[in-house]
Amino acid sequence: MKQYLLYVLFVLVLGSMVALVVNVFGEDKEETPLAAAIETDLEELPETFAVLSETFDEPIADSDIARIKKLASNPDLDEADVHALGTIDVIFEGRPTTLTLETEVYREDGIYLYLYFLGEPDVVEALDERIMAYYEELGI
């Protein structure tokens, strides 16, 4: 009986050690969110959003564009750092969804932005396709 208890204790200790090793050294399964990106000048922001609006059922609201332009023009934003600009609500294929918007700001000969849109994968993929088509139209 004593050998049986020692065997059970050994199996429990071994199982606990395996679980601990897997927990400590296991890979993080956290996925990187899907994002679409576009480059634009601050003064061209309304035109850029007009192009992006073609992806959605309704255009992106002028109030959202004005808010984003005001936030992106803030001189306190550090250059080349990613800054959150908030969210915008859009309608994609008949369903409302929210995009999170981030930007990198560069101030050389004006204010230049890299805009990043994060959201549901199908929305981000459609937005990315529109951005690629826009770049092709521009010959970039």
Side-chain angles (χ1 to χ4, degrees):
M1 178 76 171
K2 186 176 179 183
Q3 290 175 338
Y4 178 71
L5 288 175
L6 285 174
Y7 176 74
V8 169
L9 182 62
F10 172 75
V11 169
L12 286 173
V13 168
L14 185 63
S16 297
M17 288 176 34
V18 168
L20 180 64
V21 168
V22 168
N23 189 28
V24 171
F25 297 106
E27 291 184 32
D28 285 340
K29 297 289 182 179
E30 189 174 316
E31 293 183 24
T32 304
L34 192 59
I38 191 167
E39 303 171 26
T40 186
D41 187 272
L42 183 66
E43 297 306 315
E44 296 174 0
L45 200 60
E47 293 83 12
T48 301
F49 274 97
V51 170
L52 299 177
S53 289
E54 295 173 11
T55 307
F56 307 114
D57 297 351
E58 297 176 5
I60 296 171
D62 290 337
S63 59
D64 285 333
I65 297 169
R67 177 179 51 87
I68 290 165
K69 188 172 183 177
K70 181 178 179 182
L71 291 170
S73 64
N74 182 350
D76 294 334
L77 295 180
D78 293 329
E79 279 194 58
D81 287 342
V82 177
H83 302 281
L85 293 180
T87 60
I88 54 176
D89 294 320
V90 295
I91 298 176
F92 179 74
E93 295 181 348
R95 73 177 195 280
T97 189
T98 301
L99 291 171
T100 302
L101 185 60
E102 297 177 347
T103 190
E104 288 181 56
V105 179
Y106 295 90
R107 293 181 185 90
E108 186 176 315
D109 300 327
I111 300 174
Y112 197 73
L113 308 171
Y114 289 96
L115 297 172
Y116 303 103
F117 298 87
L118 298 94
E120 295 178 21
D122 60 333
V123 178
V124 173
E125 288 172 2
L127 193 56
D128 191 55
E129 287 176 18
R130 179 61 194 115
I131 292 168
M132 291 298 116
Y134 175 64
Y135 284 153
E136 284 182 24
E137 291 170 12
L138 295 176
I140 298 175

